[in-house]
Amino acid sequence: MKKILFMPALALALGSCAMMYAPMTYTLAKQPAGGALNSSGTVTTTRDGMTVMTSAMVSGLAPNTYYVAHYHVQGTASTDPCSSGGAPIMSSAIVGQSDAMGMLKLSGSVAAADVMNATYFNIHTARDASGAPADAGVTCTSVKM
């Protein structure tokens, strides 16, 4: 009887370990739409089975302002992903508001299948809490899924 219970538990434990991927951290760089902002920060992605969790910490943004972030696929305007003009992957959108010091913390998750072809992660100023982008992006980083 002990063997019967042990084997399924071992298979479950090994199966869940096989699905976890090492976190990847990327450095954000200012984009032309960032204007006078002096933004800097990181984006960390963690894939766990069929989900990609994303967290971003950015400083140097406008205080008390809404921002929206999402992944994009590679565009054709440039070989540099952040300058390529690729289409946004809207299912990956994360909306947040910077604090009084211009610090922004974002976190969200999306189906891994939705972002597997993403080549960059972009943060835009948002028009309001709905997350509608108000510019082409203030900070960006290339990503590899």
Side-chain angles (χ1 to χ4, degrees):
M1 179 111 168
K2 287 183 182 180
K3 265 188 179 177
I4 294 171
L5 294 176
F6 178 72
M7 294 308 279
L10 179 62
L12 179 62
L14 290 174
S16 64
C17 288
M19 299 298 283
M20 188 65 141
Y21 296 78
M24 298 292 296
T25 300
Y26 303 95
T27 302
L28 290 160
K30 183 177 172 179
Q31 289 189 281
L37 297 175
N38 194 18
S39 62
S40 64
T42 59
V43 175
T44 301
T45 62
T46 306
R47 185 171 170 200
D48 183 8
M50 301 190 54
T51 303
V52 172
M53 284 81 61
T54 305
S55 61
M57 292 191 63
V58 189
S59 62
L61 297 172
N64 304 312
T65 301
Y66 283 103
Y67 289 90
V68 60
H70 46 249
Y71 291 93
H72 288 253
V73 295
Q74 181 71 27
T76 58
S78 172
T79 57
D80 168 40
C82 288
S83 300
S84 71
I89 302 170
M90 295 311 292
S91 62
S92 68
I94 309 167
V95 179
Q97 186 176 23
S98 60
D99 65 16
M101 300 298 293
M103 180 71 151
L104 177 67
K105 295 179 184 178
L106 297 170
S107 63
S109 62
V110 63
D114 288 359
V115 295
M116 290 318 297
N117 293 323
T119 61
Y120 64 104
F121 183 85
N122 197 9
I123 299 176
H124 305 262
T125 306
R127 294 187 203 289
D128 52 35
S130 72
D135 56 36
V138 296
T139 189
C140 183
T141 187
S142 299
V143 296
K144 291 197 187 283
M145 294 294 169

